[in-house]
Amino acid sequence: MSVIKRRLQELKEYPSAILGLTIIGILVIISLYAVITIPYGEAIRLWRGGEGVWIENPRNVPPAWTNHFPGVDRPETKVFSTLDRPDLKEITQVTDEVAEISISIPFTYEYDEFPREMSLFFAAEYENTRPFATIYWVTPDGREIELREGSIADRSAYRISQDRDLQRRKLDNLRPQVGLFAEEDSDPPRVLPGEYELRIEGYIFEPDSDLEAQFINYGQVHGLAGTDHRRRDISLALLWGTPIALAFGLLAAVGSTVTTMILAAIGVWYSRWVDGLIQKLTEVNLILQPLVVLVMIGTLYSRSIWVMLAVIIVLNIFSGAIKVYRSLFLQIKESHYVEAARAYGAGNLRIVFRYLIPRAIPVLVPQFVTLIPSLVFLEATLALLGLGDPVLPTWGKVLEDAQQHGALYLGHYYWVLSPSFLLILTGMGFSMVGFALDRILNPRLRGM
Amino acid sequence: MPQKFTPQEQVGEKMEKQESGRKRQGDFLRLLRYSALRVIALFLAVVVGVYLMILIANMGGYVDEIRRAEIAFNVAQQVRGSPEFADLPEERRREIMDSMIETEERRLGLDQPFILRSVYYLRDALTLDLGRSENLTSDAGSRQVRHIILERLPPTLFLFLTAQIITFFAGLFIALTLSRQYGSKLDKIMVALAPTSAAPSWFYGIFLILIFAALLGVLPFGRMVAAPPPDDTLQYALSVIRHLILPVAAIVLGALFLSVYQWRTYFLIYSMEDYVEMAKAKGLSGRKIERRYILRPTLPPIITSFMLGIITVWMGQIVLETVFNWPGLGRLLFQAIGLYDTPVIIGIIVIFAYLLALTVFVLDFIYAMVDPRVKVGGEGGQST
């Protein structure tokens, strides 16, 4: 063991190994952060949540930091709610029953680009008669546009940016989120910066009746990683994907390399039919395409990531690596100290576990480390084929969504780039360490 | 001076020729016997592998269900199509159908124990006689699993072979060049790039699409030919080549750097052998040393490393075809998953077993050709 420790000290001499270890360290910190700040159940609930959870996010927008690029000034999402700010609302009693209600939402808009969407959500309290209101839009240059008029049901929404009627009649056929913010007669439309106001004026007809409004002016950027087609914050999947990817890669790598080594050692030691059987199984496994087998399991039985993990381990046990270990154990078997052990009467299993396997650990370590990235990518591969875990947020699932919704065609590059970046970062981190370990622990490669 | 030795040399050459002729014949026989045994061994592996898959697939009775569904479909078709049943009342017709289904099931052995049935399934699977797909159809309109799969096979093989041949020869060339200038800047860069091969080919595919299709717009996003396909053969070929560039580049990128790193290391190891020093001391030219004393003994481990990478390459290609919309088996698999088309998925398992066995056989064969130590029945095939 001290030999290994000494060899590990040598890692310091390889800059790529240091870099790799740093990357792995950062990934571990991210994983811990993810698991601690967002509990497992919460992460799943958020990721599977629909409009109810993510309503305040814009759809398909790039991350907020893209605004730091020169010449880019995209709007951010602004939410105004009378629940959070009661001062926006004013109620004047007209008669005992009828009251006049006035909600005024003033805000500054000084970006280069138009908002992504605009929506107005209402919560109304009433027994029989719904509140009635008119919605106005006031631009910085003093124009007042009537958006809509009508009675308001509880939990109703007015999606301003989808109001085709408004678009045709009052905005010269510009989409509302463009027409309402554009300078008059500018072509192509330019944003008119300044103070805007959204005003709701109306009446409530019952003593206990009330009206609350929430105006969301959806931006063109969001958060650390942008949002996807379901308004979900991609950073959630990137964050939670990290512990899943690491756990998946590590467990699968440990499971398969250790079992492979033990089997190879047992095969070599007992030789005859045990060895023959293992050899034959390896031959059969060479013919089976693991991905297709996983696909079959996924379609017929379960897509849970843990079932996949178990299958991957089983398929990996009889891989080509077993031949590497076998040739190694064949050499060790002939060495004198094994003979000595046999002479003092050590049992078969004792020789296998105490004499054969420890000698092969230097070969196992780099193999094991270089196996991790391919397993992390395997998870993404499965997800891309539509066999990802149905509930967990993973990097592969983000890539799959992006691929399914034509992110590359539509120019949503951030959607593809951020999970890819994390995948390649993980891959590179482990491979760099693995390559350095291989050179240190494998005497034939020393100095190359 | 050399003229003095001419006659002797000629005699020597003659003897050598005779000897080498005999040796070549022996080599040929050895190769033939070796290949025959390998074919048998690999076929057995395919049989066992497919049988295992059938056992797993039928764990919940899935294969049985597929068979039953197919029988019911055929019987219904028959009854509906023939005029002699047309006048019968619904109930009577149902009775007839049920009894026909029962007979058919008995005929196909569905009432027999699973052990026996699994043997029938094995036979059907190995001959790709998997009946009808549930949803997918081939481009020609057939719903026979065999037709669907065989139709998708050529594009897959075409892409695979093109990419593998380029990877192999480009890798060999670059590795040899690098081993000549060991320690140079280029060498260091290539070694540093080796870990990038951790990413599978489809991953590079996404980036290539992003750069060359989405941003630059110089190459197509995917598919195998332009739509609609050009009528002219030359134009058609050009269109295919244009569509081939990105997927092939992705596969090559995914495998090249690791191969170059490994092979360069093999070259370095073998160029440090004593006999190479000896050859150098004798004054042989650099090219000759490289060809005879370095490249030749390095080929077997190179082929082994190539073989170990093959499964991963195939795996990457399955997804790559999906990313590039390449009309091959990988894309078919993706579609079959989406539609839960079990017969097609099982068919793809079988065809991939054949493909992998074939790849392994071809590489084994090349191995035996370049490594004269390979003995029949020996372990030489995969050691090192």
Side-chain angles (χ1 to χ4, degrees), chain A residues 219-241:
Chain A
Q220 294 276 17
V221 291
H222 182 86
L224 264 178
T227 57
D228 66 5
H229 61 298
R230 286 168 66 186
R231 301 181 188 276
R232 292 180 296 195
D233 192 339
I234 295 173
S235 65
L236 173 77
L238 299 184
L239 209 59
W240 249 94

Side-chain angles (χ1 to χ4, degrees), chain A residues 27-28 31 35 240-255 305-306 309 313 368 372 375-376 379 392 395 426 430:
Chain A
L27 290 171
V28 169
S31 310
V35 178
W240 249 94
T242 319
I244 296 172
L246 290 187
F248 188 82
L250 275 172
L251 286 176
V254 171
I305 201 168
W306 309 117
L309 183 78
I313 291 176
F368 157 75
I372 295 175
L375 290 163
V376 171
E379 190 277 319
L392 286 175
W395 299 336
T426 315
F430 283 102

